[in-house]
Amino acid sequence: MPGDAERGPAARFASELRALRHSAGGPTYRQMAARTGQSSSALSAAAQGAQLPPLDVALAYAEACDGDRAEWERRWRAARDELDEATTTAPPPSTARRRWVIAVVGATALALAAAGVVLANLPQDKQPSSGHAEASRLFAEGDVFNQPHPHPHLASGSAELVDDLLAPGKVQLYTGTAGFPVYRATSSTPTYAVTPREHIGSWGPDPFAGVRFPWDASWKAPKREWTVVIAPDGQAVECWRIKVQAGRPSCEWGAVTDTRRASIVKKGKATGGGFSRLAGVITRADWKAGRIDHALSFGAPDNDGRHVFPAVASDGREKGRWHEGQFIWLDPAYDIDSDPTLKPYERMVAKALQTYGAFDVKNADRFSFASEYGSKPPDGDAGTYASLSDIEFAKYLRVGTVPPAP
């Protein structure tokens, strides 16, 4: 748009966003929406320059184009400060907000009319929500991963179980490119019939029978063990060792889950305990909100062949003391807010473990937690792993079980 440099901070910021999108290869707004969870209309409006977009929209736009979150937050705040200094000539905040809403609603109406889509068909995570919990949580509100468990049963050998869990060494957070990708399809995303490349029969019946796998050819298929796509109806297709040839996906094996119901897998197997791969994952929305409003999941290095509630199976083969489905939490005596050693993301993880706990869902080489592929924790680097070594696990971590709901 000509003259952006002279039209004020909002227009200059929008111009910078458009330049970033161009440098990233010009992804479509639909593709950007699938990567971030923001609507394509909000992302499009952010680049128009009529008003400075909300911070979460601006950061989603930048992240969808591989921009650095900290750098773009700095730019946004500089633009906002410049606007604040010009309040004598700028329209009142209420007017600015109305114009932003009108721009977004108008763009949404045009996009829906062109695509023949109705709001009732949008995925649950795209519908308006009043708070972080609705935006970041997966599965039904009553799911075991979405509930605090204030009275877990402490295991008689809790201290020894903690020693077993910490024995392999440093506790890590899988983040950045170490997490697994989660894509959110729309009603216009192409779908494909998929048959597992291996394991039919030996691992059970075909989990993808009668299921259409949504896949956009522009999505990346990182060399991670799992890739998950959430369809508009809330069904999650969980693909193990995805391959994409000529834009068509295939999976070595997989599972199908309903994210609007329980975290237990409907068809196939995604974890040893029988949970969806999404159960307990830390999402982009969690990091952006600065808190985690659900339980986490982890793997133990010496699970035996038993399982306890809420797990429905076990892939453990060791003779250790751990059973899949076991619950861990940080003792309430741990004053997390007063611990000066904790980084912001460590404090988030620690508070989630103190409030919601975590479940053992699979065998693993070491005790760790996972977040969504490409997401970056606050004050963490953009690499593949982040250390959780400052959390006082050895002193405050407890192990036990949670009872089934009455």
Side-chain angles (χ1 to χ4, degrees):
M1 294 181 183
D4 280 335
E6 290 76 31
R7 289 174 53 201
R12 290 197 298 273
F13 185 80
S15 179
E16 292 169 357
L17 286 178
R18 295 195 300 273
L20 177 67
R21 179 171 170 241
H22 178 75
S23 68
T28 68
Y29 286 117
R30 181 169 60 85
Q31 293 164 355
M32 292 165 64
R35 295 173 191 174
T36 65
Q38 291 285 348
S39 69
S40 58
S41 56
L43 293 168
S44 175
Q48 299 306 307
Q51 299 294 336
L52 190 68
L55 177 58
D56 59 340
V57 176
L59 294 181
Y61 192 113
E63 289 180 352
C65 299
D66 299 322
D68 180 76
R69 178 182 175 86
E71 168 63 16
W72 283 91
E73 182 170 353
R74 183 195 66 76
R75 294 190 188 198
W76 183 90
R77 293 190 183 283
R80 183 201 59 184
D81 291 345
E82 190 175 346
L83 285 169
D84 288 344
E85 291 174 1
T87 52
T88 55
T89 57
S94 58
T95 302
R97 181 63 184 172
R98 284 197 299 271
R99 289 180 181 174
W100 170 259
V101 171
I102 290 169
V104 171
V105 171
T108 301
L110 288 173
L112 293 177
V117 179
V118 294
L119 286 173
N121 290 331
L122 285 173
Q124 181 171 329
D125 65 295
K126 298 287 186 64
Q127 292 176 7
S129 63
S130 57
H132 162 67
E134 293 179 19
S136 68
R137 280 180 173 175
L138 297 166
F139 309 109
E141 190 66 22
D143 186 77
V144 69
F145 276 84
N146 290 334
Q147 298 295 311
H149 301 283
H151 305 294
H153 297 157
L154 183 69
S156 59
S158 175
E160 291 79 9
L161 287 163
V162 170
D163 288 343
D164 290 347
L165 197 61
L166 300 179
K170 182 168 60 176
V171 184
Q172 290 182 320
L173 172 67
Y174 286 63
T175 185
T177 56
F180 63 88
V182 180
Y183 292 112
R184 291 164 175 83
T186 69
S187 58
S188 60
T189 303
T191 63
Y192 302 89
V194 174
T195 300
R197 298 191 302 270
E198 298 183 22
H199 309 302
I200 294 180
S202 59
W203 287 8
D206 180 358
F208 302 129
V211 175
R212 301 289 296 183
F213 187 3
W215 187 258
D216 189 306
S218 69
W219 292 346
K220 297 178 182 178
K223 292 184 178 180
R224 307 302 304 156
E225 288 289 282
W226 288 92
T227 299
V228 179
V229 178
I230 304 176
D233 63 358
Q235 182 171 260
V237 184
E238 309 187 13
C239 181
W240 189 48
R241 295 181 178 173
I242 191 171
K243 287 184 179 180
V244 180
Q245 296 178 316
R248 299 179 64 90
S250 69
C251 309
E252 186 168 312
W253 187 250
V256 178
T257 311
D258 189 341
T259 63
R260 295 184 177 180
R261 290 182 173 81
S263 55
I264 296 297
V265 167
K266 291 171 56 182
K267 299 172 65 177
K269 195 171 185 181
T271 62
F275 299 99
S276 165
R277 202 71 190 182
L278 294 167
V281 68
I282 304 171
T283 66
R284 291 175 185 270
D286 293 324
W287 292 134
K288 291 177 182 178
R291 65 186 185 277
I292 303 167
D293 286 327
H294 56 80
L296 305 180
S297 61
F298 68 97
D302 59 351
N303 286 312
D304 62 13
R306 295 177 55 194
H307 67 274
V308 296
F309 177 83
V312 296
S314 174
D315 64 348
R317 297 293 181 268
E318 305 298 330
K319 296 181 180 179
R321 289 175 282 224
W322 278 88
H323 316 315
E324 288 181 18
Q326 279 185 300
F327 183 70
I328 63 172
W329 70 98
L330 285 174
D331 193 286
Y334 187 6
D335 189 350
I336 295 168
D337 286 326
S338 297
D339 187 341
T341 67
L342 296 178
K343 302 177 185 67
Y345 67 84
E346 288 182 302
R347 186 168 285 106
M348 287 177 62
V349 171
K351 286 188 174 183
L353 290 173
Q354 197 170 66
T355 305
Y356 294 96
F359 292 96
D360 176 9
V361 304
K362 61 189 175 95
N363 267 335
D365 293 334
R366 64 171 64 243
F367 176 37
S368 60
F369 304 101
S371 60
E372 187 177 346
Y373 180 89
S375 64
K376 180 182 174 183
D379 283 4
D381 59 37
T384 55
Y385 305 100
S387 173
L388 296 171
S389 58
D390 293 327
I391 299 176
E392 294 193 42
F393 289 115
K395 183 176 181 180
Y396 292 106
L397 192 64
R398 306 289 181 260
V399 182
T401 56
V402 297

